[in-house]
Structure formats: C-alpha cells, structure tokens
Amino acid sequence: MPVILTQTDTTVGFLSQDATKLFEIKSRPQTKPFLKVYNSLQDFKKDFLRVPKSFKKNFRRASKTTFVLKDQAVRIAPSPLHSQLLRNFCWQYSTSANESSKHFNREFCESKSDIIIEDVKGLYETKSSHIYKINKRKKRRLR
C-alpha cells in the first residue's frame, strides 16, 4: 500500500492502509495507534463500529473533529479532495505529515511519501482537529 502525502481537512497528512509504514515514517511507538479516516458514514457503519445513541447527532454533524470509540480514533473525511482520495478505499490510517513531535518539513515529507497530491493552495500546516472520547454516557475532550 502506498503512503500518500496530501492536504487533509485540518493539516498536511500521510494516508495509508499500511500502519507499519506509517510507524516507520513517524518513528512512533507501536502502542500509539493511528486515526482511521472513513470516506463516508456508510463505510464507517460497515466496520461495525457503533456510536452511542446520545452522540449520533454530534458525530454526524462534526467537522474537523476526531472521536475515540473503544480506544479507536475515527473521523469522516468531509473535504472533497480528501474524500476523493478515499473513494477507492473504505478507510485509511491518517497522521500528520511530520516527524514525531516536530513541525511540517516539506523535504522530509516528500522523501517519505510514495504519492504527493497537492492542489492550487499547496500544502500548509494548520490547527489540528479536536479530539473527543465518547462512551454511552459521557463525552470528554482530549485535545
């Protein structure tokens, strides 16, 4: 599976279905899992993940937000370019395009990715997404 460098809805990111390649690129401990980005709500439902009934509306309407469900971070890709990339895949792992705990460095990212997709706006680092951990009764903000 290739590693794709692209502008996501929040920041520059690496996308791949191969988590081991992303672990190598990021020099990240294997115990810290990656975010799973889905193309649509229907693809998310195919993975048999369930959102607690009290938070379904929040989940459907959320933008630039990641939810942690049973220790798995998930998000639906609302950006047209991002969703178009994922159209052929139901989901992909996603992570920010930088070395762990460092800022975006274009040379590093281009050397580590197999495919680079850039639109007219280019690649730029912005504020990261909000992260909420949800269970049946509570929603707790992590970032």
Side-chain angles (χ1 to χ4, degrees):
M1 289 269 113
V3 174
I4 301 167
L5 174 68
T6 187
Q7 183 70 42
T8 64
D9 57 334
T10 54
T11 190
V12 183
F14 288 123
L15 301 173
S16 181
Q17 283 196 326
D18 187 358
T20 55
K21 283 185 179 181
L22 294 177
F23 280 119
E24 286 176 25
I25 290 170
K26 296 281 285 183
S27 303
R28 184 175 179 162
Q30 298 268 342
T31 56
K32 190 174 177 185
F34 291 107
L35 162 69
K36 212 171 181 182
V37 180
Y38 289 88
N39 186 28
S40 67
L41 205 51
Q42 289 75 24
D43 289 335
F44 171 76
K45 289 177 183 177
K46 286 178 191 174
D47 245 1
F48 302 109
L49 293 172
R50 296 194 50 135
V51 176
K53 190 173 185 175
S54 57
F55 297 110
K56 283 186 179 183
K57 188 188 296 185
N58 291 16
F59 187 81
R60 278 194 321 268
R61 295 179 179 180
S63 68
K64 298 183 182 182
T65 305
T66 300
F67 291 94
V68 179
L69 303 164
K70 295 184 180 180
D71 297 327
Q72 184 174 356
V74 295
R75 182 177 6 179
I76 308 300
S79 167
L81 175 63
H82 198 191
S83 294
Q84 207 167 16
L85 290 174
L86 296 173
R87 190 170 294 148
N88 296 332
F89 307 100
C90 290
W91 60 271
Q92 289 201 350
Y93 291 113
S94 177
T95 184
S96 59
N98 56 21
E99 293 180 78
S100 264
S101 304
K102 295 185 179 175
H103 290 288
F104 175 63
N105 178 343
R106 191 175 183 102
E107 292 77 32
F108 167 78
C109 295
E110 287 179 352
S111 69
K112 300 293 183 178
S113 58
D114 301 320
I115 300 170
I116 301 167
I117 299 178
E118 190 173 357
D119 64 359
V120 180
K121 297 176 190 172
L123 301 174
Y124 52 93
E125 189 174 31
T126 59
K127 191 175 113 180
S128 55
S129 66
H130 298 289
I131 300 177
Y132 291 98
K133 183 170 181 135
I134 56 177
N135 59 30
K136 285 185 178 181
R137 294 181 182 83
K138 293 190 290 188
K139 177 171 80 169
R140 190 177 84 205
R141 186 170 176 168
L142 301 177
R143 178 176 66 193

